[in-house]
Amino acid sequence: EVATAGELGSPETPLVSSKLFEDENMEDFTDLAEHGIVDVVGDDKGGRKIIVVSACKLPASKDFDNQRFLRYLMATLDQYVDMDYSLVYFHHGLTSKNKPPLSWLWGLYKVVDRRYKKNLKTCFIV
């Protein structure tokens, strides 16, 4: 299943088009921010920002726009990716209605630009 996520054009692979990010500063993510899915909770002992992604706060899959969430996540990370940071992803508390496939999560990691990965010093999946 995870191997499929990396194949170009597989249904599990998040598609990212450069057009998606042309107007990223103009898009309003207030509705996504209100869910509290992504939160910056402070600094670790090394002085790195800790960014928490709580999947249990994701809306129901049928109402969820994966591409828009990806833009929101990247817009949030843009504030921190130029310095070292840590990411904590909580996969706990999901229901069948809001559970993203693990292959989508792996595909998400594979499609994000190097800029978002180079200063990611620790990534915990809980």
Side-chain angles (χ1 to χ4, degrees):
E1 184 174 304
V2 172
T4 308
E7 294 176 15
L8 186 61
S10 73
E12 293 86 6
T13 303
L15 299 174
V16 177
S17 162
S18 60
K19 289 186 216 175
L20 292 174
F21 303 105
E22 289 174 0
D23 297 324
E24 70 181 342
N25 293 331
M26 298 177 72
E27 190 166 1
D28 180 20
F29 295 113
T30 306
D31 57 323
L32 283 173
E34 287 175 351
H35 286 285
I37 302 166
V38 181
D39 195 18
V40 180
V41 296
D43 296 61
D44 63 13
K45 289 183 179 181
R48 299 178 291 251
K49 291 291 180 195
I50 300 171
I51 301 168
V52 173
V53 178
S54 302
C56 64
K57 296 179 180 181
L58 289 169
S61 296
K62 66 178 182 145
D63 302 326
F64 188 62
D65 182 349
N66 292 327
Q67 289 296 310
R68 189 160 181 267
F69 176 72
L70 178 59
R71 291 191 305 271
Y72 165 66
L73 180 63
M74 293 176 108
T76 303
L77 291 177
D78 277 342
Q79 303 168 51
Y80 305 101
V81 296
D82 293 328
M83 58 186 135
D84 293 349
Y85 70 100
S86 298
L87 184 69
V88 181
Y89 171 77
F90 288 101
H91 198 72
H92 181 278
L94 292 166
T95 66
S96 60
K97 294 179 181 177
N98 69 346
K99 185 176 182 180
L102 201 52
S103 59
W104 184 82
L105 295 171
W106 180 245
L108 179 69
Y109 178 78
K110 292 176 95 174
V111 298
V112 294
D113 188 85
R114 180 184 182 278
R115 178 173 172 254
Y116 297 91
K117 296 177 188 177
K118 73 177 183 175
N119 289 328
L120 175 62
K121 298 305 175 192
T122 55
C123 180
F124 297 99
I125 300 175
V126 182

